[in-house]
Amino acid sequence: MDFSLILFISLVVTGVISYGYRLMFEGSAGRTVEGVGAEEEVSAQRRQPVLVEYARALFPVILIVFVLRSFVVEPFRIPSGSMLPGLQNGDFILVNKFSYGIRLPVIHQKILDIGPPERGDVMVFRFPRDPKLAFIKRVVGLPGDRLTYVNKRLAINGEPVETEPAGEYDFQQLDMRGYSARKVKETIDGSDHYILIDDRVTRSRSMEVEVPEGHYFVLGDNRDHSNDSRYWRFVPEENVVGRAFFIWFSWKSDSGGGVNWGRIGNSIL
């Protein structure tokens, strides 16, 4: 079940219990009981069922979390190495929920358009083939763009994307096997970021597409180890969640685990 839906249901349930009891209590507060003193009456009124006490304590907490998570920022965990070298398996990130507009929680309906995704943005979205899953990739194609990806080179509207060698990069995938790839600085619309090219992967997916209106084309930075738009095509605008911008925690998934202090507080480029 969608966590937003779980929060919403929890908010409704705690609100109904706490404020429903309050309405019933206030409705009966004006009635006096013969033979019962004022102190005894107040004491009896203050005694509330345990369920109501818990609901009243939890309701404001759930409300704050629900509002922040729905309209301001939402935390996510990076589950794979598809966005290496910038994002590692075990990174915990924050996603700006209002960068591309404000949407109603649960139904994901946009109610305020602030601005569209831009080329080079690291975007979180609901996977088109299974909207219950959250994916994170880099936006490389906007509506109307013509894209080609041939021999591991990306071109946008007929112009090859600028690249520059940046050394070698060693990493592990979820299968715990070691890999080595070329680290390349890529520049899209004046914004620099790093990608990985694994020359041992000789059968790279080539394609030539035009991005339809209301859709985006995304790629993983770990180009030869990413399940992205080359395989399942486009991200509909209604599936967009927000822009990833900050690493607030990181846990090493190898070498026995542990906090990866050097990554905490890094911005996402």
Side-chain angles (χ1 to χ4, degrees):
M1 183 183 293
D2 188 348
F3 188 63
S4 295
L5 180 58
I6 295 174
L7 276 178
F8 180 74
I9 293 174
S10 302
L11 187 65
V12 171
V13 170
T14 54
V16 168
I17 292 174
S18 57
Y19 289 95
Y21 180 86
R22 180 179 179 180
L23 289 174
M24 290 188 296
F25 174 77
E26 289 180 347
S28 62
R31 297 195 298 268
T32 59
V33 180
E34 186 177 355
V36 178
E39 293 185 3
E40 289 82 354
E41 184 178 354
V42 171
S43 178
Q45 290 172 352
R46 286 178 176 173
R47 290 196 296 269
Q48 301 173 356
V50 175
L51 181 61
V52 175
E53 291 182 357
Y54 276 114
R56 285 193 172 183
L58 289 175
F59 178 78
V61 177
I62 297 175
L63 177 61
I64 292 171
V65 172
F66 181 75
V67 171
L68 288 177
R69 189 181 184 276
S70 299
F71 302 109
V72 185
V73 294
E74 183 173 358
F76 287 90
R77 179 185 180 278
I78 302 300
S80 71
S82 69
M83 287 297 290
L84 286 169
L87 292 174
Q88 298 181 4
N89 180 18
D91 284 347
F92 291 78
I93 65 171
L94 293 179
V95 173
N96 187 325
K97 296 296 292 288
F98 56 86
S99 289
Y100 308 135
I102 297 177
R103 299 174 185 269
L104 292 175
V106 182
I107 63 175
H108 310 295
Q109 177 66 43
K110 182 182 286 188
I111 57 174
L112 180 62
D113 191 5
I114 295 178
E118 299 180 355
R119 297 188 197 95
D121 285 358
V122 178
M123 184 174 76
V124 173
F125 55 92
R126 292 178 291 116
F127 184 38
R129 293 185 177 178
D130 185 358
K132 294 189 297 295
L133 298 178
F135 268 36
I136 182 169
K137 305 293 177 186
R138 189 176 299 276
V139 178
V140 298
L142 305 180
D145 283 347
R146 292 177 293 105
L147 303 175
T148 60
Y149 190 80
V150 180
N151 295 327
K152 305 189 180 187
R153 286 298 306 272
L154 174 66
I156 303 175
N157 296 322
E159 294 292 330
V161 171
E162 181 182 345
T163 59
E164 179 182 331
E168 297 291 318
Y169 188 87
D170 298 326
F171 64 97
Q172 283 187 334
Q173 287 289 70
L174 294 178
D175 57 11
M176 302 308 294
R177 293 173 55 189
Y179 294 84
S180 181
R182 285 189 292 118
K183 186 177 180 181
V184 177
K185 184 170 75 172
E186 184 178 70
T187 304
I188 297 180
D189 289 357
S191 177
D192 296 336
H193 56 269
Y194 291 96
I195 65 172
L196 299 181
I197 302 295
D198 189 344
D199 291 320
R200 294 179 300 177
V201 179
T202 56
R203 297 183 61 184
S204 177
R205 175 65 65 94
S206 298
M207 56 82 194
E208 182 175 354
V209 298
E210 181 172 341
V211 184
E213 287 299 318
H215 292 75
Y216 301 94
F217 195 92
V218 297
L219 291 177
D221 288 346
N222 193 356
R223 294 287 162 83
D224 295 300
H225 300 274
S226 174
N227 179 23
D228 49 42
S229 288
R230 291 171 292 177
Y231 302 92
W232 41 260
R233 287 308 189 234
F234 311 106
V235 178
E237 195 277 336
E238 58 266 23
N239 284 44
V240 172
V241 173
R243 181 179 61 85
F245 70 96
F246 187 73
I247 300 173
W248 65 272
F249 186 71
S250 184
W251 182 264
K252 297 178 182 178
S253 57
D254 56 357
S255 304
V259 178
N260 196 346
W261 294 103
R263 297 191 57 75
I264 297 176
N266 290 343
S267 299
I268 298 174
L269 303 178

